[in-house]
Amino acid sequence: MARSFISFTDLNKEEVLNIIEYAKKLKKDKFLDQSLKGKSIGLIFMKQSTRTRLSFEVGVYQMGGQPVYISGSSTQLARGEDIKDTARVMARYLDGIVIRTFSHQEVEDLAKYGNIPVINALTDYQHPCQVLADLMTITEVFGTLAGKKIAYVGDGNNMANTLLLACAVMGMDISVATPPNYEPNSKAVLEAVIIAQKTGSKIELTNDPKKAVLDADVIYTDVWVSMGQEGEKEKKKAFEGFTVNKDLVVLAKPDAVVMHCLPAHKGEEISEDVFERYADVIFNQAENRLHVQKSLMSLLFKK
């Protein structure tokens, strides 16, 4: 089976660092890597997207390839075609697949039966490409990942799951603060704890955001209601006290930064003044999606 990037743990620490370093070179010279010349990359989007679609379409183009955008509603998948059959067909046309969808199992099946590299551009379980960009951004701010602590404040969603796994792999510390009953996925927590025992990463789960941000280098948040959960309006009531505002930020290290994967609902998970104070960091995160994904595609798609 071709090598894919479905879970953050599909990469080891050295590979992550190499991807980040090459991404920094690509940031300086956008046409440096032409390894996708003559290749067609399918971009399957079962969910709406801004940054993910733009960054992958532009990235494939800059690397000399042909991005083929495939809306979920326009495929036979929307009419119930087996993902196994879709995978086997696409593998005969395409050189790689990027997919943004709901089910993590769908991405795993696509990689298993398609026999071409597959990149997870977001599932309800993980968002590994975003976290690669986040780690790149942290190295730009601090010069290193070593010894850094991330405090995640908010919903225990796909971002929380992936940050747990990423910090464990990279040997970074992480504290995740969520309201009761909104903790990260137990499977991700267990896997992160097992990895952390080998890498020395310290992992903490708490229901107290003030405790989480103590000694943090990075405070990270995300929307409280994820895409596809818009009907859960009552959910927001549980998150009172979990807004990343100036009163929370002051409890972290003096040089700490605030990060957000966007889109942001200002006044909910983050106050507008804090968002604007750290806007340069936040929009560097967004830009770095392009560069780090090109570096990742160079690793997986160029063969």
Side-chain angles (χ1 to χ4, degrees):
M1 187 169 69
R3 187 176 185 190
S4 295
F5 183 55
I6 298 169
S7 167
F8 193 92
T9 55
D10 291 331
L11 299 173
N12 60 39
K13 180 179 179 179
E14 182 180 4
E15 288 172 325
V16 171
L17 293 175
N18 288 340
I19 286 170
I20 289 172
E21 287 308 303
Y22 190 44
K24 290 178 179 178
K25 295 179 181 179
L26 296 172
K27 192 171 185 175
K28 295 178 180 178
D29 182 356
K30 63 183 179 181
F31 294 115
L32 175 66
D33 191 313
Q34 294 294 297
S35 60
L36 297 188
K37 186 175 182 179
K39 296 183 182 297
S40 297
I41 307 300
L43 309 178
I44 305 173
F45 282 76
M46 310 297 285
K47 283 188 171 188
Q48 294 174 326
S49 174
T50 299
R51 284 153 292 278
T52 300
R53 178 177 175 180
L54 280 171
S55 57
F56 272 111
E57 278 204 57
V58 171
V60 172
Y61 165 76
Q62 289 180 354
M63 296 174 73
Q66 177 194 23
V68 182
Y69 176 74
I70 306 165
S71 168
S73 60
S74 68
T75 69
Q76 296 297 335
L77 283 171
R79 299 179 62 230
E81 182 175 23
D82 194 328
I83 190 72
K84 300 176 186 178
D85 296 345
T86 298
R88 286 179 283 193
V89 169
M90 288 186 171
R92 297 180 181 229
Y93 299 145
L94 301 169
D95 299 287
I97 294 173
V98 175
I99 180 168
R100 179 182 175 95
T101 188
F102 295 89
S103 167
H104 197 76
Q105 186 63 51
E106 266 189 353
V107 183
E108 292 180 341
D109 288 344
L110 197 62
K112 180 178 180 179
Y113 293 98
N115 200 31
I116 55 174
V118 173
I119 290 177
N120 174 6
L122 179 141
T123 66
D124 287 346
Y125 179 53
Q126 282 196 49
H127 197 356
C129 289
Q130 176 64 57
V131 175
L132 279 177
D134 298 336
L135 295 180
M136 177 180 175
T137 306
I138 292 170
T139 67
E140 290 178 327
V141 173
F142 296 107
T144 183
L145 298 176
K148 299 306 174 187
K149 174 187 173 181
I150 296 177
Y152 176 90
V153 178
D155 186 27
N157 58 16
N158 51 5
M159 284 307 310
N161 297 337
T162 316
L163 285 166
L164 278 166
L165 293 168
C167 286
V169 169
M170 304 309 293
M172 300 169 66
D173 296 341
I174 184 168
S175 183
V176 176
T178 67
N181 303 317
Y182 291 97
E183 289 83 1
N185 185 287
S186 58
K187 176 183 174 183
V189 173
L190 178 60
E191 186 176 3
V193 168
I194 291 171
I195 296 170
Q197 290 172 348
K198 300 175 183 177
T199 63
S201 171
K202 296 178 182 177
I203 293 175
E204 177 184 53
L205 301 182
T206 178
N207 301 126
D208 184 354
K210 293 180 180 179
K211 181 181 179 183
V213 302
L214 293 176
D215 296 320
D217 300 282
V218 176
I219 301 175
Y220 200 115
T221 191
D222 188 15
V223 294
W224 291 339
V225 179
S226 299
M227 191 182 303
Q229 300 176 348
E230 286 78 7
E232 299 181 25
K233 300 293 185 183
E234 296 298 311
K235 178 179 179 181
K236 295 178 183 178
K237 294 180 180 178
F239 286 82
E240 291 182 11
F242 281 80
T243 300
V244 175
N245 54 30
K246 61 183 180 181
D247 294 331
L248 195 64
V249 173
V250 75
L251 300 176
K253 287 183 178 178
D255 61 346
V257 296
V258 174
M259 301 179 73
H260 196 304
C261 55
L262 299 176
H265 292 169
K266 299 167 192 175
E268 292 185 6
E269 75 276 1
I270 189 168
S271 63
E272 185 160 8
D273 61 326
V274 168
F275 182 92
E276 293 303 331
R277 179 180 172 185
Y278 296 98
D280 284 348
V281 175
I282 292 168
F283 289 105
N284 273 335
Q285 282 178 263
E287 179 188 345
N288 286 341
R289 289 288 303 277
L290 170 63
H291 311 304
V292 83
Q293 288 164 187
K294 287 171 64 179
S295 183
L296 178 66
M297 288 190 290
S298 180
L299 173 67
L300 298 181
F301 293 164
K302 68 181 180 182
K303 294 180 181 179

